[in-house]
Amino acid sequence: MLFERPIDVLVVEDNPGDSRLIEINLSEQTDVHFRVVVRSDLAGAMEALGERAFGVVLLDLFLPDSQGLSTLERLIAAVDETPVVVMSGLDDFSVAVQAVQRGAQDYLVKGKGDGELIRRSILHAIERQRTRRQLLLSEAAFNNTDTGMLVMDTRGVVSRVNPAYLEVMGCAAGEVEGKSAHFLLPNVHDQDFYDALWARLKEEGSWEGEIWNRRRDGQIRPEWIRINVVRDGLGQAVGYVVIFSDVTFRRRAEDELIRQATTDSLTGLPNRPLFLKLLASGIERNRRYGRQLSLLFVDLDGFKDVNDNQGHDVGDLVLKEVALRLRRAVRVSDEVARLGGDEFTVVLSEVNQPHDAEAVAIKVVDALSQPYEMECGTLLLSASVGVATCPKDGMGPEHLLHAADEAMYKAKRAGKNRFVFADLGAEPL
């Protein structure tokens, strides 16, 4: 059998002879099994539809309780997705057209045709309704997805765009549809890029990659697109579907993840992993050009008392102020980082002699010893600073950091609020 499961048919017909003839015609079909239920008025049909599902409804427009096309309209409102085929004694083309326009899948005239015609009409109605349902779902997906989509013909002329595409591009449908697809116009990439795109598209049926595109407002932004060929039943290309992703937001998200992974969340300074990379890069660069680099290791004096007596919120404000003062005390080309707690570092990218770092160290010690005006009152702190220079005090990041750290502890032991060079032992400057 063509259909493994029987098709339930609701016949809405007040003429017993006509309904009986339909039952007989359908029972004679061997490739499909039809189970027929008959109701003689619209009210009975509504009740039957409320009790069970039917594969199709065969409807007479003229019933005891409803007349004409309003019968169809009332039934359509009740059946939802069930296909309806009108069977009428009225052989009127205009009525047939109106019936189809109002939701009927077919219009048959009683007495014209046999059981085979009814069978075909029922099967076609079911298939058309299934196709219509799929089209509605596809249309809903096309219009409601947050991914930009565009449909174009084989010449690259746009036939349709969805709302998400218009929102991303900041334009109206009338500015796009009927015109050449903007991303295929050679306004950013060179012509070789577009020639290669078309060649691969025609050869493989798809293309995916990043395209830099000029938006309506003149901005050039990256877009990730995928183009798929649409073919007819003979395998011939009839158009293309293009899916757009604005990677600007993705790149921002990636940048934010990088920032979170490499930046101290409290002060906005580079954290320890990024600091070590910056230090290694600086050491390599200075080694290549025969220059020297100095590192300041800064530790606050008295910060534990602030946290213990004033609370961590005040302590955080102090650390933010320390970060600001350190930035102001050094050159733009120098790097300031927070290693954690109340430990900071400063990389002086270019020094001619080790003692050239002395001027910066003096500024740092002086800046951090100035009063801190807080809501809780004036706080007095200072800083102990260790200074190490590459290559004299270490060739690698960790060695240089260790030397500066040791010098900082010597400054602590020497009385705090001062700086010490790594090669000068415990003698403070």
Side-chain angles (χ1 to χ4, degrees):
M1 294 182 69
L2 182 62
F3 285 78
E4 295 183 359
R5 300 174 62 181
I7 298 175
D8 292 319
V9 181
L10 175 61
V11 177
V12 189
E13 172 62 67
D14 64 332
N15 186 317
D18 288 343
S19 60
R20 180 56 185 160
L21 181 60
I22 293 172
E23 288 186 87
I24 292 172
N25 285 335
L26 292 180
S27 67
E28 294 175 348
Q29 304 302 310
T30 57
D31 56 349
V32 183
H33 180 205
F34 295 98
R35 294 188 301 204
V36 178
V37 174
V38 178
R39 292 294 183 267
S40 59
D41 55 22
L42 187 59
M46 298 289 197
E47 182 180 351
L49 288 167
E51 294 174 350
R52 57 182 289 193
F54 288 89
V56 68
V57 177
L58 301 183
L59 174 68
D60 184 7
L61 293 179
F62 296 90
L63 300 171
D65 55 351
S66 184
Q67 302 289 309
L69 290 171
S70 64
T71 305
L72 173 64
E73 293 174 344
R74 293 168 63 187
L75 186 71
I76 288 289
V79 298
D80 192 23
E81 294 297 317
T82 306
V84 177
V85 174
V86 171
M87 296 194 67
S88 174
L90 186 63
D91 189 359
D92 188 319
F93 179 75
S94 64
V95 174
V97 170
Q98 292 180 64
V100 172
Q101 290 175 340
R102 300 185 189 195
Q105 292 296 334
D106 204 350
Y107 186 97
L108 301 180
V109 180
K110 296 178 183 179
K112 289 189 176 182
D114 54 10
E116 174 61 19
L117 176 63
I118 299 174
R119 182 192 72 89
R120 287 202 307 268
S121 180
I122 289 174
L123 298 183
H124 290 170
I126 292 173
E127 180 60 24
R128 282 193 294 270
Q129 188 74 358
R130 185 187 67 82
T131 301
R132 174 178 173 272
R133 187 180 301 114
Q134 290 179 338
L135 288 174
L136 288 174
L137 291 173
S138 298
E139 186 72 9
F142 183 80
N143 287 320
N144 294 294
T145 181
D146 58 0
T147 300
M149 299 181 69
L150 175 150
V151 181
M152 63 184 185
D153 63 19
T154 53
R155 300 170 300 158
V157 175
V158 179
S159 57
R160 288 196 66 194
V161 292
N162 71 344
Y165 172 86
L166 297 176
E167 182 176 355
V168 168
M169 296 303 298
C171 59
E175 300 175 78
V176 181
E177 294 175 351
K179 301 177 182 178
S180 296
H182 64 282
F183 62 90
L184 296 176
L185 299 176
N187 57 2
V188 178
H189 299 276
D190 57 35
Q191 189 58 47
D192 290 343
F193 174 86
Y194 299 101
D195 290 343
L197 184 154
W198 276 113
R200 181 171 176 182
L201 194 55
K202 292 177 180 179
E203 180 180 333
E204 301 184 11
S206 65
W207 185 92
E208 184 171 10
E210 184 174 285
I211 281 184
W212 286 85
N213 179 47
R214 192 183 306 277
R215 303 293 178 87
R216 180 187 182 189
D217 58 8
Q219 295 185 18
I220 297 177
R221 296 182 182 176
E223 294 172 351
W224 189 269
I225 71 171
R226 179 174 178 82
I227 309 175
N228 290 313
V229 66
V230 179
R231 302 187 185 278
D232 60 18
L234 299 176
Q236 298 298 314
V238 295
Y240 301 94
V241 173
V242 187
I243 299 174
F244 285 81
S245 297
D246 185 347
V247 298
T248 303
F249 301 108
R250 186 184 71 187
R251 289 195 171 186
R252 287 177 184 171
E254 291 172 350
D255 290 344
E256 177 61 17
L257 289 175
I258 293 173
R259 188 195 67 78
Q260 292 177 6
T262 59
T263 304
D264 174 52
S265 60
L266 178 64
T267 63
L269 297 175
N271 59 14
R272 184 184 185 94
L274 179 56
F275 156 72
L276 291 173
K277 290 181 180 179
L278 293 172
L279 181 58
S281 176
I283 291 173
E284 175 59 27
R285 183 172 58 252
N286 284 23
R287 182 195 63 78
R288 185 180 306 159
Y289 295 106
R291 299 169 182 166
Q292 298 185 79
L293 172 149
S294 289
L295 172 65
L296 277 59
F297 195 110
V298 181
D299 187 273
L300 295 180
D301 304 321
F303 181 73
K304 183 177 183 302
D305 292 338
V306 172
N307 264 343
D308 292 344
N309 299 326
Q310 305 299 332
H312 290 283
D313 290 343
V314 173
D316 287 347
L317 293 175
V318 169
L319 292 175
K320 290 181 179 180
E321 178 63 22
V322 169
L324 290 174
R325 294 185 185 186
L326 285 175
R327 284 199 184 102
R328 296 191 190 109
V330 301
R331 298 170 300 181
V332 175
S333 59
D334 298 328
E335 296 285 355
V336 180
R338 181 188 176 203
L339 300 190
D342 60 345
E343 294 180 340
F344 295 81
T345 56
V346 179
V347 178
L348 306 180
S349 55
E350 291 184 25
V351 293
N352 295 321
Q353 299 295 329
H355 286 279
D356 289 346
E358 181 175 346
V360 179
I362 291 173
K363 288 177 63 178
V364 167
V365 171
D366 180 65
L368 300 186
S369 65
Q370 299 302 312
Y372 294 79
E373 301 296 337
M374 300 290 164
E375 289 187 5
C376 62
T378 300
L379 301 177
L380 298 177
L381 295 93
S382 62
S384 297
V385 179
V387 185
T389 299
C390 175
K392 180 175 60 66
D393 298 318
M395 292 294 294
E398 292 291 353
H399 290 95
L400 196 64
L401 181 62
H402 178 73
D405 186 29
E406 287 294 316
M408 181 273 296
Y409 277 109
K410 292 173 183 177
K412 289 271 190 188
R413 291 193 292 269
K416 304 179 182 179
N417 192 29
R418 66 194 65 210
F419 65 91
V420 167
F421 278 96
D423 62 332
L424 295 180
E427 186 66 28
L429 294 178

